[in-house]
Amino acid sequence: MLYNIIVGVIAVICFLLILVILLQPGQGQGISGMGGAGAIGGGGGLGARRTADLLSKSTSILAAIFLTLCVLANFAIDRGEANRSILQEGAPGLNVPIEAPSQTSPAIPQTQGEQGNTDADTDGDGEN
């Protein structure tokens, strides 16, 4: 519950941070150069220095709030049960008894002639 609230506030802060950053003046431009005070004669009520100070401070404040909320969101995550490693719990199937392999016939069947002949040609070169 708390995590969802923090994520919602982070989303609002992100939106405000995007707006404030986009409103900041570039190379001598900004709110004062968008027509209002710039068209009147450059002075007007919105000076470039005041606007830059307000937007810079608000960017710093919003960034600090964003960072703080991101760290708090990490601690607000509901983890449910405590995390345990496989070594602490034991691997699945670890306690199952191991059965001895059953006696089966070999994979390659032997012919009757090879069973009784111990001098059989095993390397295939025709010599014993």
mmCIF file of all heavy atoms in Angstrom, residues 102-123:
data_model
loop_
_atom_site.group_PDB
_atom_site.id
_atom_site.type_symbol
_atom_site.label_atom_id
_atom_site.label_comp_id
_atom_site.label_asym_id
_atom_site.label_seq_id
_atom_site.Cartn_x
_atom_site.Cartn_y
_atom_site.Cartn_z
ATOM 1 N N SER A 102 19.951 -50.586 -11.510
ATOM 2 C CA SER A 102 19.519 -51.970 -11.664
ATOM 3 C C SER A 102 20.433 -52.690 -12.646
ATOM 4 O O SER A 102 21.049 -52.086 -13.526
ATOM 5 C CB SER A 102 18.069 -52.010 -12.154
ATOM 6 O OG SER A 102 17.990 -51.396 -13.419
ATOM 7 N N GLN A 103 20.495 -53.981 -12.469
ATOM 8 C CA GLN A 103 21.315 -54.801 -13.364
ATOM 9 C C GLN A 103 20.554 -54.973 -14.678
ATOM 10 O O GLN A 103 19.516 -55.598 -14.723
ATOM 11 C CB GLN A 103 21.595 -56.174 -12.732
ATOM 12 C CG GLN A 103 22.405 -56.096 -11.459
ATOM 13 C CD GLN A 103 23.816 -55.591 -11.726
ATOM 14 O OE1 GLN A 103 24.367 -55.815 -12.805
ATOM 15 N NE2 GLN A 103 24.392 -54.919 -10.753
ATOM 16 N N THR A 104 21.083 -54.391 -15.708
ATOM 17 C CA THR A 104 20.453 -54.499 -17.023
ATOM 18 C C THR A 104 21.445 -55.104 -17.992
ATOM 19 O O THR A 104 22.643 -55.204 -17.731
ATOM 20 C CB THR A 104 20.024 -53.116 -17.544
ATOM 21 O OG1 THR A 104 21.179 -52.280 -17.636
ATOM 22 C CG2 THR A 104 19.009 -52.472 -16.616
ATOM 23 N N SER A 105 20.940 -55.477 -19.126
ATOM 24 C CA SER A 105 21.811 -56.052 -20.148
ATOM 25 C C SER A 105 22.616 -54.931 -20.799
ATOM 26 O O SER A 105 22.212 -53.770 -20.779
ATOM 27 C CB SER A 105 20.968 -56.792 -21.192
ATOM 28 O OG SER A 105 20.078 -55.885 -21.800
ATOM 29 N N PRO A 106 23.772 -55.251 -21.349
ATOM 30 C CA PRO A 106 24.583 -54.224 -22.002
ATOM 31 C C PRO A 106 23.859 -53.612 -23.192
ATOM 32 O O PRO A 106 22.983 -54.224 -23.787
ATOM 33 C CB PRO A 106 25.854 -54.966 -22.435
ATOM 34 C CG PRO A 106 25.518 -56.406 -22.363
ATOM 35 C CD PRO A 106 24.388 -56.560 -21.400
ATOM 36 N N ALA A 107 24.249 -52.408 -23.532
ATOM 37 C CA ALA A 107 23.591 -51.694 -24.623
ATOM 38 C C ALA A 107 23.852 -52.361 -25.964
ATOM 39 O O ALA A 107 23.014 -52.333 -26.854
ATOM 40 C CB ALA A 107 24.060 -50.251 -24.656
ATOM 41 N N ILE A 108 25.038 -52.949 -26.129
ATOM 42 C CA ILE A 108 25.370 -53.634 -27.380
ATOM 43 C C ILE A 108 25.239 -55.131 -27.134
ATOM 44 O O ILE A 108 26.001 -55.705 -26.352
ATOM 45 C CB ILE A 108 26.803 -53.302 -27.842
ATOM 46 C CG1 ILE A 108 26.939 -51.802 -28.020
ATOM 47 C CG2 ILE A 108 27.151 -54.055 -29.109
ATOM 48 C CD1 ILE A 108 28.346 -51.370 -28.300
ATOM 49 N N PRO A 109 24.244 -55.748 -27.763
ATOM 50 C CA PRO A 109 24.088 -57.196 -27.526
ATOM 51 C C PRO A 109 25.251 -57.980 -28.132
ATOM 52 O O PRO A 109 25.767 -57.647 -29.193
ATOM 53 C CB PRO A 109 22.767 -57.524 -28.201
ATOM 54 C CG PRO A 109 22.541 -56.432 -29.180
ATOM 55 C CD PRO A 109 23.264 -55.224 -28.661
ATOM 56 N N GLN A 110 25.656 -59.007 -27.421
ATOM 57 C CA GLN A 110 26.730 -59.864 -27.919
ATOM 58 C C GLN A 110 26.111 -61.083 -28.595
ATOM 59 O O GLN A 110 25.085 -61.583 -28.162
ATOM 60 C CB GLN A 110 27.631 -60.318 -26.768
ATOM 61 C CG GLN A 110 28.340 -59.163 -26.112
ATOM 62 C CD GLN A 110 29.182 -59.638 -24.943
ATOM 63 O OE1 GLN A 110 29.086 -60.780 -24.507
ATOM 64 N NE2 GLN A 110 30.022 -58.751 -24.436
ATOM 65 N N THR A 111 26.763 -61.555 -29.627
ATOM 66 C CA THR A 111 26.291 -62.771 -30.289
ATOM 67 C C THR A 111 26.792 -63.975 -29.513
ATOM 68 O O THR A 111 27.712 -63.879 -28.702
ATOM 69 C CB THR A 111 26.796 -62.832 -31.747
ATOM 70 O OG1 THR A 111 28.222 -62.820 -31.724
ATOM 71 C CG2 THR A 111 26.267 -61.664 -32.547
ATOM 72 N N GLN A 112 26.218 -65.108 -29.801
ATOM 73 C CA GLN A 112 26.580 -66.309 -29.064
ATOM 74 C C GLN A 112 28.028 -66.706 -29.310
ATOM 75 O O GLN A 112 28.690 -67.223 -28.436
ATOM 76 C CB GLN A 112 25.668 -67.466 -29.446
ATOM 77 C CG GLN A 112 24.275 -67.289 -28.893
ATOM 78 C CD GLN A 112 23.394 -68.473 -29.234
ATOM 79 O OE1 GLN A 112 23.834 -69.427 -29.866
ATOM 80 N NE2 GLN A 112 22.143 -68.412 -28.819
ATOM 81 N N GLY A 113 28.547 -66.446 -30.478
ATOM 82 C CA GLY A 113 29.923 -66.812 -30.787
ATOM 83 C C GLY A 113 30.914 -65.976 -30.009
ATOM 84 O O GLY A 113 31.988 -66.435 -29.649
ATOM 85 N N GLU A 114 30.579 -64.747 -29.715
ATOM 86 C CA GLU A 114 31.503 -63.874 -28.997
ATOM 87 C C GLU A 114 31.486 -64.145 -27.505
ATOM 88 O O GLU A 114 32.454 -63.871 -26.816
ATOM 89 C CB GLU A 114 31.143 -62.393 -29.245
ATOM 90 C CG GLU A 114 31.390 -61.956 -30.659
ATOM 91 C CD GLU A 114 30.999 -60.505 -30.874
ATOM 92 O OE1 GLU A 114 30.513 -59.874 -29.923
ATOM 93 O OE2 GLU A 114 31.181 -60.008 -31.985
ATOM 94 N N GLN A 115 30.425 -64.696 -26.982
ATOM 95 C CA GLN A 115 30.326 -64.896 -25.536
ATOM 96 C C GLN A 115 31.321 -65.934 -25.030
ATOM 97 O O GLN A 115 31.925 -65.760 -24.002
ATOM 98 C CB GLN A 115 28.916 -65.330 -25.159
ATOM 99 C CG GLN A 115 27.918 -64.212 -25.283
ATOM 100 C CD GLN A 115 26.503 -64.688 -25.006
ATOM 101 O OE1 GLN A 115 26.254 -65.879 -24.832
ATOM 102 N NE2 GLN A 115 25.583 -63.758 -24.997
ATOM 103 N N GLY A 116 31.475 -67.006 -25.760
ATOM 104 C CA GLY A 116 32.358 -68.058 -25.298
ATOM 105 C C GLY A 116 33.781 -67.889 -25.782
ATOM 106 O O GLY A 116 34.706 -68.490 -25.267
ATOM 107 N N ASN A 117 34.057 -67.066 -26.768
ATOM 108 C CA ASN A 117 35.375 -66.920 -27.369
ATOM 109 C C ASN A 117 36.084 -65.740 -26.721
ATOM 110 O O ASN A 117 35.722 -64.599 -26.921
ATOM 111 C CB ASN A 117 35.230 -66.710 -28.875
ATOM 112 C CG ASN A 117 36.574 -66.711 -29.578
ATOM 113 O OD1 ASN A 117 37.605 -66.873 -28.938
ATOM 114 N ND2 ASN A 117 36.537 -66.537 -30.884
ATOM 115 N N THR A 118 37.143 -66.040 -25.942
ATOM 116 C CA THR A 118 37.879 -64.960 -25.308
ATOM 117 C C THR A 118 38.959 -64.412 -26.221
ATOM 118 O O THR A 118 39.484 -63.335 -25.996
ATOM 119 C CB THR A 118 38.533 -65.448 -24.000
ATOM 120 O OG1 THR A 118 39.376 -66.558 -24.298
ATOM 121 C CG2 THR A 118 37.465 -65.835 -22.996
ATOM 122 N N ASP A 119 39.316 -65.165 -27.298
ATOM 123 C CA ASP A 119 40.327 -64.709 -28.234
ATOM 124 C C ASP A 119 39.709 -64.015 -29.431
ATOM 125 O O ASP A 119 40.281 -63.968 -30.503
ATOM 126 C CB ASP A 119 41.172 -65.893 -28.727
ATOM 127 C CG ASP A 119 42.003 -66.507 -27.626
ATOM 128 O OD1 ASP A 119 42.251 -65.781 -26.637
ATOM 129 O OD2 ASP A 119 42.383 -67.672 -27.746
ATOM 130 N N ALA A 120 38.564 -63.446 -29.284
ATOM 131 C CA ALA A 120 37.851 -62.816 -30.406
ATOM 132 C C ALA A 120 38.631 -61.596 -30.865
ATOM 133 O O ALA A 120 39.319 -60.928 -30.120
ATOM 134 C CB ALA A 120 36.441 -62.414 -29.994
ATOM 135 N N ASP A 121 38.513 -61.338 -32.181
ATOM 136 C CA ASP A 121 39.187 -60.189 -32.797
ATOM 137 C C ASP A 121 38.399 -58.927 -32.417
ATOM 138 O O ASP A 121 37.354 -58.665 -32.982
ATOM 139 C CB ASP A 121 39.240 -60.382 -34.312
ATOM 140 C CG ASP A 121 39.956 -59.254 -35.003
ATOM 141 O OD1 ASP A 121 40.734 -58.536 -34.352
ATOM 142 O OD2 ASP A 121 39.725 -59.068 -36.194
ATOM 143 N N THR A 122 38.887 -58.179 -31.472
ATOM 144 C CA THR A 122 38.142 -56.990 -30.997
ATOM 145 C C THR A 122 38.486 -55.726 -31.748
ATOM 146 O O THR A 122 37.705 -54.810 -31.804
ATOM 147 C CB THR A 122 38.406 -56.776 -29.501
ATOM 148 O OG1 THR A 122 39.830 -56.626 -29.307
ATOM 149 C CG2 THR A 122 37.901 -57.928 -28.673
ATOM 150 N N ASP A 123 39.676 -55.634 -32.348
ATOM 151 C CA ASP A 123 40.041 -54.390 -33.014
ATOM 152 C C ASP A 123 39.690 -54.383 -34.494
ATOM 153 O O ASP A 123 39.842 -53.378 -35.161
ATOM 154 C CB ASP A 123 41.493 -54.038 -32.788
ATOM 155 C CG ASP A 123 42.430 -55.149 -33.261
ATOM 156 O OD1 ASP A 123 41.938 -56.205 -33.705
ATOM 157 O OD2 ASP A 123 43.652 -54.937 -33.181
#
